[in-house]
Amino acid sequence: MTIRDAYKEGREELKLAGIPDAGLDAWYLMEYATGIGRAAYYANPDRELAKKDREKYRACLEKRKKHIPLQHITGEQEFMGLLFSVNKHVLIPRQDTEILVEEALKLADKDMIPCENGKMRILDMCTGSGCILLSMLYYIGKPANGRSLTQGESPAGKAGETALDPIAAEGIGADISEKALLTARRNADDLGIKAEFVQGDLFENVSGRFALILSNPPYIRTEEIGLLQEEVRLHDPREALDGKEDGLYFYRRIIKEAKDYLLPGGYLVFEIGYDQAEAVRNLMSESRYTDITVKKDLAGLDRIVCGRYIK
Ligand code: GLN
């Protein structure tokens, strides 16, 4: 079978199985299974596919047809132009979450951000794969045009060049899941980024104070989890999605507890669900946070709420 026929077969089978981006996923799986990318494909689409490559590609297609997420098949997801290992123990990094990192990088650039002993300390609460914390540490102090979002070109590889640390930033990622933290630690090692990871129920094992506390906590209402697409509902870790009855459980707790962990003038930055801006803003103002702002994602939906805690 030629690679052209193999690609078309994959695309059609995925389409029939109801996979939304069937054509794109067939490309990814073909490249993953055979090492043949688009450039090589177009150079010679009539080339024969080796038997073992065909078998591997077929096995990938069968998994994807069962709605196993592409990223669980390939074991990786790009985020902020960096490559992260992922598995069933961590939420797959979403493009929307890049907005949180972009906003936090803007805050980190401000003169009024509080530093302690010349260090800017950053906490990522509910870190999962570590994608928020590690991309912060990677890009902090670098010019914005040096970044590539997932819409961009090629990602820095796993063994990509190590970020220099022009301003001294120090990062901690916290998560309740030890298995998630194993993945986060591995990502830090692969990217050559120094970070600390602590297991615990929110702030349970976190110590010290921070200039920035960032969090993409579980925020889906329990009764709405069943309505999510199968890839999310069955394959993302439920404990990374479930924000309990009204979806706001973790915001309530983090907003209250973070006050003891923010330096005066430090910022709390949340990712939120599209309909949670007002509720989270109110919770923050009831807790005496100031300068509360809401930012939208690329689809024009509310996605980030950010506030400052003076004292
Ligand atoms: N944004 C995720 C989704 O697609 C949810 C992530 C979360 O709960 N933090 O459903």
Side-chain angles (χ1 to χ4, degrees):
M1 183 179 245
T2 64
I3 57 176
R4 188 205 318 263
D5 290 340
Y7 166 68
K8 281 193 185 151
E9 175 187 77
R11 186 187 61 196
E12 293 316 308
E13 286 187 20
L14 294 182
K15 212 185 271 174
L16 272 176
I19 303 300
D21 293 311
L24 207 56
D25 284 13
W27 276 122
Y28 279 123
L29 292 176
M30 172 112 126
E31 177 154 18
Y32 171 71
T34 69
I36 301 169
R38 280 197 209 206
Y41 174 93
Y42 283 116
N44 184 8
D46 293 317
R47 162 172 154 192
E48 282 297 310
L49 192 57
K51 184 158 180 282
K52 73 164 191 3
D53 285 351
R54 174 157 166 74
E55 279 164 10
K56 190 166 175 202
Y57 176 60
R58 288 280 350 144
C60 290
L61 288 174
E62 289 310 320
K63 286 189 192 162
R64 190 68 191 100
K65 279 156 73 178
K66 291 189 194 128
H67 289 254
I68 293 176
L70 184 75
Q71 298 87 341
H72 286 183
I73 302 171
T74 62
E76 59 192 33
Q77 170 64 40
E78 192 188 334
F79 180 83
M80 293 295 295
L82 304 173
L83 207 49
F84 289 88
S85 289
V86 297
N87 52 52
K88 63 180 182 188
H89 302 298
V90 300
L91 186 87
I92 296 171
R94 315 284 208 255
Q95 202 177 315
D96 294 329
T97 307
E98 292 181 337
I99 309 286
L100 188 160
V101 176
E102 289 288 346
E103 288 305 317
L105 285 168
K106 283 185 212 155
L107 293 173
D109 234 11
K110 283 192 180 170
D111 294 337
M112 63 237 236
I113 194 96
C115 290
E116 217 176 31
N117 306 323
K119 290 227 160 110
M120 188 188 302
R121 297 187 79 227
I122 302 169
L123 174 66
D124 177 12
M125 181 51 72
C126 311
T127 194
S129 65
C131 66
I132 293 174
L133 181 71
L134 296 173
S135 49
M136 275 304 286
L137 294 173
Y138 187 89
Y139 288 110
I140 207 160
K142 285 185 178 168
N145 59 12
R147 299 201 272 278
S148 90
L149 306 188
T150 47
Q151 309 96 300
E153 308 270 279
S154 56
K158 286 191 176 175
E161 72 301 10
T162 306
L164 292 174
D165 209 5
I167 47 167
E170 211 174 68
I172 298 183
D175 207 287
I176 197 160
S177 159
E178 193 54 66
K179 287 187 173 150
L181 291 173
L182 281 176
T183 309
R185 285 193 190 98
R186 172 170 164 200
N187 282 322
D189 288 348
D190 288 346
L191 289 162
I193 297 170
K194 213 169 131 270
E196 196 189 319
F197 292 98
V198 293
Q199 189 278 335
D201 178 16
L202 298 185
F203 293 90
E204 189 183 14
N205 294 315
V206 173
S207 55
R209 290 191 181 251
F210 298 85
L212 289 171
I213 299 181
L214 316 176
S215 184
N216 174 18
Y219 58 65
I220 312 287
R221 291 174 196 90
T222 306
E223 64 172 28
E224 285 176 7
I225 292 178
L227 308 173
L228 300 174
Q229 65 177 38
E230 197 171 324
E231 281 81 346
V232 179
R233 176 164 55 85
L234 299 182
H235 298 281
D236 273 315
R238 193 180 172 101
E239 62 177 345
L241 298 172
D242 193 345
K244 311 221 183 215
E245 200 171 344
D246 65 356
L248 300 171
Y249 174 84
F250 291 98
Y251 296 114
R252 277 194 199 92
R253 281 190 57 194
I254 294 169
I255 287 168
K256 278 212 182 84
E257 297 176 31
K259 296 206 268 187
D260 292 332
Y261 293 87
L262 279 168
L263 287 164
Y267 290 87
L268 176 58
V269 190
F270 281 124
E271 176 172 324
I272 54 156
Y274 71 96
D275 58 354
Q276 294 173 321
E278 222 26 64
V280 174
R281 175 199 278 278
N282 290 339
L283 288 169
M284 288 181 90
S285 75
E286 281 160 22
S287 278
R288 291 186 291 109
Y289 287 76
T290 59
D291 304 348
I292 304 170
T293 52
V294 177
K295 294 274 149 67
K296 292 185 189 300
D297 62 21
L298 299 175
L301 303 172
D302 290 338
R303 183 59 66 186
I304 306 299
V305 179
C306 165
R308 196 163 197 222
Y309 192 67
I310 308 283
K311 258 266 147 297

